[in-house]
């Protein structure tokens, strides 16, 4: 009974934080003619409700693709259609074709915010709770603390409830996939992740670890017996799920190609805005977009992404355990974010999900990463008027997670997984206290992010360098992410899984 009370309190705190953030501004509020992501989500409801399926992804007189044209997979469109039916019942003006463009009212804002909260309650929050209580080690109180810290991750809250998107749907479905695989429900896990991929194409960030984990498990069971049967079941599940999601577009190859063209807009270029990845940071010194052709940029980004993903995924293929799986997910999504083509700043949420899943094992590093990922989106958050929610949610997450997970106390060399670092340092600097250095770097990093946040708000940049602060934010965040991807790869390759987790996975 006491545990259920603690769980209820945990969920209530998570929901209250989300609802409090939702009362703030949102992307593009009162800024015609394009407004922002809030209007994009509303417009997709308008399009999917009023137009036939065959026109959803095509440029027509009733569907101007230059005005927030639909550019996500079919499951996002179906979700928009369901929301549109509810909107039509409440107020037909919200989804009226053409006339509803840029519609803004208090009641509509309440409706849109409620749809995000409903998706969270239905998909993401249950997945977090089940993961923490079934796949995390520790006492019930420690599991509750882990769940609370994941639910209070400020990056996801600020983007979904402040900026306005439905990232909790795709991330929640991916988490259901991870949960299914962790519990041995491989077919269910495959189904859930396929749905995630059909909701947002950015779930490709997680796809190779899912593939390698399942294939590695099938190989372990033997590809001439049980393993082959499992592989057949998984393959059939994935193909049937894809077929059902894409059914309205399969009859006409032109339809299928147009949807794919909308999902992968190569014409937009290597990167947009000030994203904390390799290409944007390197562009400060070398104007890549000018020097290299589009085809060369594509090849270079593909080659580097593959180069950084393959070692981690091959390691997972040879050792398909839950611990290896979570680290491979973090490494794969970070490699995609740092090196792939056409990355948005919000895509860091895809790397944040697997890092949330290791917050119980390596709390200090996970907290550090999650705060950095939120900070990396600072220019976007300031643009949307979310300074106060950014400060409050970040500070609350920092102090609660440090306290509830005893992150500073659990930062010995062993608990930080510094085995390989220690072996190297013994030869060069035998008296070096690596764990203490990491603690100092953690606090120094937080101070640097706080100072840069303050200067971005309070100081005017030089007239000749109007983008100075966003560029510095992206470069500082990029250097952090580069350090994190190296760290997670070293941890994955240097350390065997703990006995408790091995028993649970088996």
């Amino acid at each position: 009974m006491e545990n259920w009370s603690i769980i209820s309190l945990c969920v209530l705190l998570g929901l209250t934080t989300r609802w409090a953030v939702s009362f703030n501004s949102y992307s593009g509020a009162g800024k015609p003619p394009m407004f922002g992501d809030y209007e994009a989500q509303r417009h997709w409801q308008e399009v999917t409700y009023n137009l036939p399926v065959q026109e959803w992804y095509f440029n027509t007189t009733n569907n101007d693709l230059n005005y927030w044209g639909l550019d996500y997979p079919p499951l996002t469109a179906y979700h928009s259609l369901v929301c549109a039916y509810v909107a039509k019942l409440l107020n037909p003006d919200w989804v009226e074709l053409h006339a509803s463009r840029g519609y803004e009212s208090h009641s509509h804002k309440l409706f849109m915010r409620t749809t995000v909260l409903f998706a969270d309650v239905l998909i993401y929050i249950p997945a977090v709770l089940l993961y923490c209580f079934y796949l995390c080690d520790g006492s019930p109180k420690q599991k509750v603390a882990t769940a609370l810290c994941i639910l209070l991750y400020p990056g996801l809250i600020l983007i979904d409830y402040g900026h306005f998107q439905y990232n909790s749907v795709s991330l929640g479905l991916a988490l259901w996939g991870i949960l299914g695989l962790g519990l041995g429900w491989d077919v269910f896990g495959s189904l859930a992740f396929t749905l995630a991929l059909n909701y947002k194409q950015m779930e490709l960030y997680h796809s190779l670890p899912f593939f390698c984990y399942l294939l590695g498990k099938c190989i372990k069971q033997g590809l001439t017996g049980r393993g082959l049967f499992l592989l057949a079941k998984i393959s059939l599940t994935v193909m049937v799920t894809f077929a059902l999601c894409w059914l309205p577009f399969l009859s006409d190859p032109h339809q299928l190609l147009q949807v794919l063209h909308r999902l992968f807009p190569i014409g937009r270029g290597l990167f947009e805005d000030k994203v904390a990845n390799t290409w944007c940071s390197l562009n400060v010194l070398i104007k890549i977009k000018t020097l290299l052709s589009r085809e060369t940029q594509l090849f270079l980004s593909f080659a580097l992404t593959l180069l950084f993903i393959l070692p981690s995924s091959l390691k997972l293929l040879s050792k398909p355990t839950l611990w290896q799986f979570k680290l491979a997910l973090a490494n794969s999504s970070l490699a995609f974010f740092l090196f792939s083509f056409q990355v948005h700043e919000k895509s860091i949420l895809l790397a944040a999900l697997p890092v949330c899943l290791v917050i119980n094992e390596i709390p200090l590093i996970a907290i550090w990463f999650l705060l950095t990922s939120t900070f990396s989106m600072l220019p976007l958050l300031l643009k949307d008027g979310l300074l106060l929610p950014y400060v409050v949610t970040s500070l609350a997450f920092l102090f609660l997670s440090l306290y509830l997970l005893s992150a500073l106390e659990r930062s010995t060399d062993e608990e930080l997984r510094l085995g390989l670092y220690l072996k190297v340092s013994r030869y060069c600097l035998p008296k070096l206290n690596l764990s203490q250095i990491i603690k100092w770097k953690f606090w120094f990093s937080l101070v640097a992010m706080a100072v840069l946040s303050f200067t971005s708000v309070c100081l005017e940049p030089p007239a000749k360098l109007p983008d100075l602060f966003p560029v510095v934010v992206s470069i500082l965040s990029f250097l952090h992410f580069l350090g994190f991807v190296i760290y997670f790869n070293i941890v994955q390759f240097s350390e065997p899984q703990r006995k408790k987790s091995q028993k649970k996975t088996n």
Side-chain angles (χ1 to χ4, degrees), residues 370-425:
L370 295 173
L371 287 169
T372 305
S373 67
T374 306
F375 168 76
S376 72
M377 298 183 284
L378 179 65
L380 177 68
L381 300 175
L382 294 180
K383 184 180 176 182
D384 293 338
L386 296 170
L387 173 63
L388 183 60
Y390 161 71
V391 172
V392 173
T393 55
S394 296
L395 288 176
F397 175 78
L398 170 63
F399 292 114
L400 274 173
S401 55
L402 286 179
Y403 171 72
L404 292 173
L405 300 175
S406 305
L408 294 174
E409 291 78 14
R410 294 169 59 194
S411 56
T412 61
D413 292 340
E414 182 184 356
E415 288 172 309
L416 289 172
R417 273 67 172 177
L418 298 176
L420 189 59
Y421 292 95
L422 286 171
K423 289 178 183 177
V424 174
S425 66

Side-chain angles (χ1 to χ4, degrees), residues 34-69:
M34 292 300 290
F35 300 93
D37 272 9
Y38 177 93
E39 168 62 10
Q41 302 291 340
R42 188 216 59 78
H43 179 64
W44 295 344
Q45 295 175 20
E46 171 197 345
V47 167
T48 53
Y49 184 83
N50 291 286
L51 301 180
V53 177
Q54 291 73 23
E55 291 186 30
W56 287 357
Y57 292 92
F58 277 87
N59 197 51
T60 65
T61 53
N62 288 322
N63 186 22
D64 180 7
L65 292 182
N66 291 321
Y67 184 81
W68 297 117

Side-chain angles (χ1 to χ4, degrees), residues 149-393:
C149 291
I150 295 174
L151 291 177
L152 291 181
Y153 165 52
L156 182 59
I157 295 173
L158 291 168
I159 293 300
D160 275 16
Y161 290 86
H163 178 78
F164 197 87
Q165 284 190 338
Y166 294 95
N167 292 289
S168 60
V169 176
S170 57
L171 295 177
L173 289 170
L175 183 50
W176 276 106
I178 296 166
L179 182 65
L181 268 55
L183 293 173
W185 305 340
D186 298 319
V187 173
F188 172 78
S190 304
L191 170 65
F193 180 69
T194 306
L195 291 174
L197 191 55
N198 279 284
Y199 190 88
K200 281 199 174 183
Q201 65 270 36
M202 283 79 78
E203 278 299 328
L204 284 168
Y205 285 32
H206 298 145
S207 58
L208 195 56
F210 267 89
F211 174 79
C212 289
Y213 178 87
L214 289 167
L215 181 60
K217 188 170 182 179
C218 292
I219 292 171
K220 289 278 185 184
Q221 293 184 8
L223 288 178
T224 56
R226 288 174 54 204
L228 182 61
F229 181 60
L230 177 61
L231 184 61
K233 286 195 299 181
I234 292 169
S235 302
L236 183 64
T237 300
V238 171
M239 288 189 292
V240 169
T241 306
F242 261 101
L244 290 174
C245 288
W246 288 74
L247 192 60
F249 311 98
L250 294 179
S251 58
D252 183 0
H254 187 47
Q255 283 274 340
L256 187 61
L257 290 173
Q258 175 64 11
V259 177
L260 292 173
H261 173 71
R262 293 295 300 165
L263 299 189
F264 302 102
I266 295 171
R268 290 185 185 176
L270 189 58
F271 62 88
E272 290 180 357
D273 296 327
K274 304 298 181 290
V275 60
N277 75 346
T278 304
W279 310 121
C280 185
S281 302
L282 194 59
N283 196 64
V284 175
L285 302 173
I286 305 169
K287 301 303 176 186
I288 303 170
K289 286 186 174 181
T290 308
L291 292 174
L292 303 178
S293 66
R294 182 69 51 79
E295 292 73 20
T296 306
Q297 293 172 32
L298 265 170
F299 174 77
L300 194 59
S301 63
F302 175 77
L304 280 175
T305 305
L306 193 63
L307 181 66
F308 271 77
I309 287 176
L310 273 181
S312 173
S313 297
L314 291 175
K315 172 70 173 177
L316 174 64
L317 182 65
S318 66
K319 190 178 181 182
T321 64
L322 181 61
W323 175 245
Q324 288 285 327
F325 181 41
K326 291 189 290 186
L327 289 171
L329 285 168
N331 288 322
S332 173
S333 49
L334 267 173
F336 264 98
F337 181 81
L338 289 171
F339 302 107
S340 65
F341 196 88
Q342 186 50 227
V343 173
H344 292 271
E345 60 270 69
K346 300 180 289 289
S347 299
I348 195 60
L349 297 177
L350 290 147
L353 176 67
V355 175
C356 281
L357 304 186
V358 298
I359 198 170
N360 186 47
E361 289 87 356
I362 38 177
L364 187 65
I365 301 297
I367 292 166
W368 191 358
F369 176 90
L370 295 173
L371 287 169
T372 305
S373 67
T374 306
F375 168 76
S376 72
M377 298 183 284
L378 179 65
L380 177 68
L381 300 175
L382 294 180
K383 184 180 176 182
D384 293 338
L386 296 170
L387 173 63
L388 183 60
Y390 161 71
V391 172
V392 173
T393 55

Side-chain angles (χ1 to χ4, degrees), residues 99-130:
S100 60
R101 279 197 180 185
Y103 191 98
E104 292 179 320
S105 72
H106 178 73
S107 57
H108 185 253
K109 179 182 175 182
L110 181 64
F111 164 72
M112 294 290 278
R113 298 301 196 195
T114 304
T115 61
V116 179
L117 188 66
F118 182 77
D120 240 355
V121 171
L122 186 67
I123 300 173
Y124 183 72
I125 293 176
V128 169
L129 294 176
L130 288 173

